[in-house]
Every structure is written in structure tokens, then in C-alpha cells.
């Protein structure tokens, strides 16, 4: 497999073509962004930590029967993935109230959500990823009702696998965002799963151990990501 030209540079990852039209290389950079790219910083080791974190989680999900784009980790900061036709919709599941839900509905942070909630957002930085629903996604052609049903089912299956995985490490999976795409017509989990796109709290102290440390200027961002990784069995050396 040969890495070829850069196709796209996102806020934290760059995507490269390969000599195989079905495969891409994801390069996890040290860049960190918040508030739709308004705040950007480089955090040493972040690319390596998130690449290893994502590889570990994607392998666990794959083993649990959830189709993912992940093929293999190539280096400290690069992974090989299947090329998906991305669906511009973010799927969010919440087990506990935090972030946008607290702001929008005024519920108390940390309230347990039974059953867990499921929300859709349009992936569009210029519009600040507005909340959407199935009707809007269908009408505007972002995803079909069948694709949305499959994405919802897969997003909840991910919850069952990861809630337990993190619980075993003394962590609460508060919420997370997933993105899906199509590979030869099949809905497949894409993008990444790392503490950049989920909330993880220490189960005892409720300390935040995810990207909220960066968003809220709490410091110790990468140290927290590494601590989460160590607790669930990821080695970073
Ligand atoms: P909220 O709606 O509370 O801002 O986000 C819910 C969950 O989805 C959080 O775990 C948050 O990190 C994740 N999330 C939502 N939108 C994005 C996004 O555009 N980028 C990243 N990295 N995570 C997101």
C-alpha cells in the first residue's frame, strides 16, 4: 500500500489517498479545535494518543459485530481505513445530561437519562452543526429513512459495548458522537472514536477526562486521555 496525495485536511485529521481506490490513510495530527474551529491549539502527543485510542476502540467494535471503516494502524499517528461516502449527519447518544443538552433544555448536568437519548446534527461548521431530525434528513437528501434507522441501531449497539468497556475502567460514558458512511452500499462506522468526540467522567469523582478539559480550559488534556486509555488497557509507549 502506497500513501499518495492529501485529499482533505480536517480540524484534527488529514486524509490521504492510497494506490488502492477503496482505501485511505488517516493522519491524526496534534491539532485540537473547539467551538467549530474558533479555538485551535497544538497539544503534544495528541495525534499518537488518539490514533491508538481509536484503533483500540474500532477493533473492539468490529469484534462485537459493528461494521467500521478501520483496517489497521500503520504508525504512531496514521491508520488505514476504508474509503466511505460520508453521510453528513452526526449521531449523538447521551447516557447522562451534559453539554448541549444542558444548555438547550436546562436540565441538571449529570442527570441520568433513561432511556438514553438519540439526537441528529447536520455536519456543517458554518451553521454550527445544527440539530436536525429524520424528516429534514430525508427531505434534504442527507440520508434515507432506512439509512437513518440503521445508523440509530448501530449507535445504540456501540453504547452497549462501550458503556461496559469504560465502566470496567471506572469511567462513565456520558455521551458520544458517531459519523457513518457508505462502503459498497453498506452503512459503516467512520471518522474516529476518541476522547475528542465523547464525554468520559471518572465514575467516583465525576472528574472530566475528555475534550471538555480543553473546551473549559481545565488543562491536563492529553494526560487525561492517556489515563482513560491506560484504564481500559491501551498502552501508549
Ligand atoms: P454536545 O451536543 O453536548 O455538544 O455534544 C455531545 C457529544 O458529541 C459530546 O461528547 C461531543 O464531544 C460530541 N460532539 C458533538 N459534535 C461534535 C463535533 O462536531 N466534533 C467533536 N469532536 N465532537 C462532537
Amino acid at each position: 500500500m502506497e500513501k499518495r496525495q492529501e485529499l482533505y485536511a480536517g480540524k484534527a485529521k488529514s486524509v490521504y489517498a492510497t494506490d488502492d481506490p477503496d482505501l485511505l490513510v488517516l493522519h491524526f495530527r496534534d491539532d485540537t479545535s473547539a467551538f467549530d474551529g474558533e479555538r485551535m491549539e497544538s497539544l503534544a502527543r495528541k495525534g499518537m494518543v488518539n490514533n491508538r485510542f481509536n484503533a483500540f476502540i474500532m477493533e473492539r467494535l468490529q469484534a462485537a459485530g459493528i461494521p467500521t471503516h478501520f483496517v489497521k494502524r500503520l504508525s504512531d499517528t496514521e491508520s488505514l481505513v476504508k474509503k466511505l461516502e460520508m453521510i453528513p449527519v452526526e449521531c449523538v447518544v447521551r447516557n447522562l445530561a451534559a453539554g448541549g443538552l444542558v444548555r438547550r433544555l436546562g436540565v441538571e448536568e449529570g442527570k441520568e437519562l433513561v432511556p438514553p437519548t438519540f439526537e441528529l446534527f447536520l455536519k456543517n461548521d458554518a451553521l454550527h452543526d445544527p440539530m436536525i431530525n429524520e424528516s429534514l434528513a430525508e427531505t434534504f437528501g442527507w440520508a434515507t429513512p432506512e439509512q437513518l434507522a440503521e445508523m440509530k441501531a448501530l449507535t445504540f449497539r456501540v453504547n452497549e459495548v462501550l458503556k461496559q468497556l469504560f465502566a470496567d475502567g471506572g469511567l462513565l460514558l456520558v455521551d458520544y458522537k458517531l459519523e457513518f458512511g457508505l462502503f459498497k452500499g453498506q452503512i459503516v462506522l467512520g471518522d474516529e472514536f476518541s476522547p475528542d468526540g465523547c464525554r468520559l467522567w471518572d465514575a467516583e469523582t465525576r472528574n472530566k477526562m475528555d475534550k471538555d478539559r480543553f473546551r473549559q480550559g481545565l488543562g491536563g488534556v492529553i494526560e487525561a486521555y492517556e489515563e482513560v486509555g491506560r484504564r481500559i488497557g491501551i498502552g501508549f509507549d
Side-chain angles (χ1 to χ4, degrees), residues 92-113 117 119 121 131 174-175 199 201 206 208 212 216:
V92 170
V93 159
R94 300 178 197 266
N95 295 305
L96 299 170
L101 186 77
V102 167
R103 280 194 298 279
R104 209 171 335 114
L105 300 182
V107 293
E108 193 189 339
E109 185 181 68
K111 181 184 166 58
E112 199 182 344
L113 302 170
T117 61
E119 295 158 42
F121 297 87
M131 192 176 195
V174 173
D175 57 29
R199 289 192 172 92
W201 295 350
R206 299 219 160 190
K208 297 180 197 310
D212 271 351
Q216 299 175 8

Side-chain angles (χ1 to χ4, degrees), residues 132-174:
I132 58 167
N133 60 27
E134 277 94 341
S135 165
L136 290 165
E138 181 182 3
T139 295
F140 289 105
W142 298 317
T144 66
E146 296 73 27
Q147 289 168 347
L148 291 164
E150 178 71 7
M151 287 157 65
K152 182 176 180 179
L154 289 172
T155 303
F156 276 118
R157 276 175 64 197
V158 166
N159 202 33
E160 292 317 305
V161 178
L162 296 189
K163 239 181 6 184
Q164 189 59 52
L165 176 81
F166 288 116
D168 291 342
L171 295 157
L172 295 168
L173 177 60
V174 173

Side-chain angles (χ1 to χ4, degrees), residues 90 92 94 98-101 103 121 129 175-177 196-199 211 215:
E90 300 181 342
V92 170
R94 300 178 197 266
L101 186 77
R103 280 194 298 279
F121 297 87
D129 294 350
D175 57 29
Y176 56 92
K177 178 262 303 175
D196 269 4
C198 68
R199 289 192 172 92
K211 195 173 172 182
R215 296 187 188 101

